[in-house]
Amino acid sequence: RSLERIAASGPAGFYEGETAALIEKEMKAGGGMITARDLAAYQAQKRTPVRGTYRGYEVISMSPPSSGGPVLLLMLNILEGYDLRASGPGSAATLHRVAEAMRRGFADRARYLGDPDFNPAMPVARLLAKDYAASLRKTIREDRASASSPASFEWPAESKETTHLSVVDEARN
């Protein structure tokens, strides 16, 4: 029904009226802080997506405050330096390399990424650079897993949030 209200009324179908009231009710029940007034006052921010390439394919993804795009591109840039076809899908070597790329991507996410409205100095361009990924790739040992240690940076408190998935075809639909 929420999607039907949004389809019929556009953004107002979410930020105002019944949907906003239902969100506020759920927030109160769960100890949340968002009110219908907050939703009505909200102004969406247009952000420029992050862009990169992986093996000749253009990858366009969400920019901060979502960390998904920069981390995805960083991990793909690390993996681009390996011949994953030769090591084979599901092989120990491929899975090790993917896990190590993810380990480095998520460590940099925790260290550097956040909301650009509050952290404008995020090094997004560096995180997306092929040479930065190459330097991280050099730290991956083929014979053992790296240690992950929360002592190397502060972990922010994790919240109960949603995630997103964007699918774009060759015509960018």
Side-chain angles (χ1 to χ4, degrees):
R1 284 181 261 169
S2 294
L3 293 176
E4 288 172 351
R5 287 190 291 274
I6 294 166
S9 303
F14 181 82
Y15 294 105
E16 302 169 20
E18 184 179 355
T19 303
L22 289 167
I23 291 170
E24 180 178 61
K25 180 180 175 186
E26 183 63 26
M27 285 285 154
K28 284 181 182 175
M33 301 186 316
I34 297 174
T35 67
R37 176 183 249 169
D38 294 330
L39 291 167
Y42 179 76
Q43 294 292 314
Q45 298 291 318
K46 290 185 180 181
R47 309 276 185 186
T48 302
V50 293
R51 293 172 174 262
T53 60
Y54 178 72
R55 301 187 192 277
Y57 291 96
E58 182 179 28
V59 180
I60 304 170
S61 192
M62 296 291 292
S63 61
S66 169
S67 61
V71 171
L72 171 68
L73 288 168
L74 173 57
M75 292 185 295
L76 290 174
N77 285 340
I78 293 169
L79 293 171
E80 193 170 41
Y82 294 111
D83 185 353
L84 299 178
R85 181 172 285 151
S87 60
S91 71
T94 296
L95 295 176
H96 172 72
R97 292 166 178 163
V98 169
E100 291 296 311
M102 293 174 78
R103 185 185 314 268
R104 284 150 181 81
F106 287 117
D108 277 359
R109 171 187 180 255
R111 279 187 196 105
Y112 303 118
L113 296 176
D115 188 331
D117 290 341
F118 301 96
N119 184 13
M122 289 183 295
V124 175
R126 180 172 63 95
L127 296 176
L128 301 180
K130 299 281 187 182
D131 60 343
Y132 178 67
S135 71
L136 292 178
R137 190 179 319 109
K138 289 178 184 176
T139 69
I140 296 173
R141 290 184 52 173
E142 294 292 324
D143 62 335
R144 80 171 354 129
S146 302
S148 292
S149 171
S152 63
F153 49 84
E154 283 190 38
W155 287 96
E158 194 66 34
S159 62
K160 296 179 182 177
E161 62 240 355
T162 58
T163 189
H164 71 273
L165 173 66
S166 300
V167 179
V168 182
D169 69 11
E170 63 188 13
R172 296 189 177 178
N173 293 315

